[in-house]
Amino acid sequence: MILHEFKESLKSADQNLDIPHIFCGDFNIEPQFPAYKLLSSGRLDKDDLEKLETTDYIKYYESIWIPPPETNKISEKEKAILCHLNKYFVNPLKTVKSSYKTVLGREPEVTNHEGGKNYWILDYLWYSSDSLCPTCVLDVVPLSLVKSVVGLPNEFFPSDHLSLKASYHFVN
């Protein structure tokens, strides 16, 4: 819904959608989640829809996707709604790409640490690849260092998320 509203605001400003844009923040999704794939590739395939049908992401807590236990499945009612809505799982921002993945070839190792073994990659800098190109990104604190602290925030890191930053140049 937010992506469609963002697209509509771009349309109202410029009918050709040629406005360079950066869409960033805490998305609360990890790279292996279907929502990440929707952002990065624009669509979900059959495997992604199956993941959505078999995983309750509200209860989801593992850092890597593993077939969930029976208690982590969505209800039949939720599955029916998902089946009905799957044709709407389309990213209207067709040229959006991840800044970190473009520059480094991967997302950061970690952007959030809640303590214990809860390390997450939840934050992203998405950009319009038809009008912008990232030239560099801020090095993120390595996971090995983040593991040495109790959690975020703390006396060394003032936020519960690590900072992301990128520089861009215009394509044309």
Side-chain angles (χ1 to χ4, degrees), residues 26-70:
D26 175 1
F27 287 77
N28 279 333
I29 57 173
E30 291 206 284
Q32 71 274 13
F33 286 8
Y36 177 92
K37 184 162 184 193
L38 182 63
L39 279 167
S40 63
S41 70
R43 292 205 150 279
L44 298 180
D45 60 25
K46 186 178 177 181
D47 290 340
D48 299 313
L49 290 171
E50 188 175 301
K51 277 185 188 179
L52 285 174
E53 288 178 4
T54 60
T55 305
D56 184 343
Y57 284 93
I58 303 296
K59 298 177 192 169
Y60 189 81
Y61 57 89
E62 295 291 331
S63 290
I64 56 172
W65 191 82
I66 300 169
E70 201 61 37

Side-chain angles (χ1 to χ4, degrees), residues 22 97-105 125 127-129 131-139 165-171:
I22 300 169
K97 290 189 178 178
S98 165
S99 302
Y100 274 78
K101 189 150 189 175
T102 298
V103 173
L104 300 177
L125 301 175
Y127 68 97
S128 54
S129 63
S131 55
L132 295 172
C133 182
T135 55
C136 62
V137 292
L138 178 69
D139 284 340
K165 183 178 177 181
S167 292
Y168 303 87
H169 73 262
F170 292 102
V171 172

Side-chain angles (χ1 to χ4, degrees), residues 15 33 51 64 89 94 101 122 137 144 147:
Q15 295 301 315
F33 286 8
K51 277 185 188 179
I64 56 172
F89 292 139
K94 304 277 187 233
K101 189 150 189 175
L122 303 174
V137 292
S144 59
K147 283 182 175 182

Side-chain angles (χ1 to χ4, degrees), residues 18 57 117:
D18 288 338
Y57 284 93
K117 294 182 179 182

